[in-house]
Amino acid sequence: MWRSVLLHEFEDRNVRSFQGLPGSLSPGSLALSPSEGIILIAPGRSLHYVLETPLLDVIGVSCRVRFRHPGRAVTSSVRILRLGDEFVLSLEPLTMFQALVRVRVHRAWHDIGQLPNPSSSFTELGFDWHTSGKTYIRVNGRLVGYHDALSRGSRLTIEDVAFGSPESLATSPDPHYQLGEFSVRALSRHPRWPRRHVTGMHKP
């Protein structure tokens, strides 16, 4: 059944308020801008949520992320989202005005769409994958990419959720992108877990 792994919609205007499966943020994982209600993601600054118990036998992933990268064009790979060790969503350089959206599910990489680069306003990036191989990517609600056989038959394990690269060093003060609302959902045959509301996150 589908469940929310990690959900953040700022409904109570508290940027540290999350809902999701039981787990916790890694110490120092958040770099917050409370006045703007955004999370700044950059080298050495990420959002990393570790589940108490890994989510097994995942056969579907659905993600919605609002973000913007206003600083400069994407000139190197920028990781947007990682779920465990088997799912990665990233931006890759394409042109001065377009970035390439690349996804890895299990061992298969695929370039699946494009979005404006850079962007002065927030963009909603939507991604849906199922073990049947059907994969969709949408930008601001518009379908920009589709694949009918991406990692068909794969099953994933999700131990954690990471926006940005928790393992990276703080080599630059400039954010790679600004993260707004997001939701990460998974379809799993694991028994249903209760959703937990989490507040009082670690300060940067």
Side-chain angles (χ1 to χ4, degrees):
M1 61 183 64
W2 285 98
R3 71 204 64 196
S4 292
V5 180
L6 194 61
L7 172 69
H8 193 16
E9 294 182 335
F10 305 125
E11 292 180 354
D12 57 3
R13 308 310 300 171
N14 180 0
V15 74
R16 290 181 171 86
S17 180
F18 295 84
Q19 291 180 334
L21 296 179
S24 60
L25 286 173
S26 295
S29 68
L30 281 178
L32 305 175
S33 178
S35 62
E36 298 182 39
I38 59 175
I39 300 169
L40 306 179
I41 303 295
R45 289 156 50 165
S46 64
L47 189 160
H48 185 209
Y49 188 80
V50 181
L51 300 180
E52 287 183 2
T53 304
L55 187 58
L56 306 176
D57 207 20
V58 173
I59 59 174
V61 172
S62 180
C63 309
R64 299 291 179 272
V65 181
R66 288 188 70 249
F67 72 100
R68 64 181 175 185
H69 49 109
R72 54 181 179 269
V74 174
T75 56
S76 61
S77 181
V78 178
R79 183 192 293 171
I80 300 297
L81 174 64
R82 176 179 61 77
L83 304 179
D85 294 327
E86 299 167 326
F87 175 91
V88 175
L89 189 64
S90 63
L91 299 183
E92 306 295 332
L94 186 61
T95 71
M96 290 298 295
F97 305 104
Q98 294 286 319
L100 189 66
V101 181
R102 179 170 293 171
V103 62
R104 176 172 65 84
V105 179
H106 204 48
R107 296 181 180 88
W109 286 95
H110 190 74
D111 297 334
I112 198 168
Q114 301 175 16
L115 53 78
N117 169 40
S119 176
S120 59
S121 60
F122 276 87
T123 297
E124 182 180 279
L125 182 63
F127 176 86
D128 297 277
W129 169 83
H130 188 267
T131 189
S132 64
K134 295 186 181 299
T135 307
Y136 304 85
I137 193 156
R138 295 174 173 83
V139 175
N140 294 326
R142 181 173 61 89
L143 183 68
V144 299
Y146 170 74
H147 197 289
D148 64 357
L150 181 64
S151 294
R152 180 180 291 167
S154 293
R155 304 290 176 90
L156 309 180
T157 297
I158 300 177
E159 302 94 347
D160 60 352
V161 178
F163 290 92
S165 302
E167 68 278 8
S168 65
L169 299 176
T171 58
S172 170
D174 297 326
H176 271 169
Y177 65 92
Q178 300 170 343
L179 178 64
E181 297 93 338
F182 61 82
S183 67
V184 177
R185 300 173 66 234
L187 179 63
S188 173
R189 295 178 181 177
H190 203 66
R192 181 176 177 83
W193 288 358
R195 186 164 62 176
R196 186 171 70 178
H197 188 72
V198 185
T199 58
M201 296 300 180
H202 298 282
K203 295 182 180 179

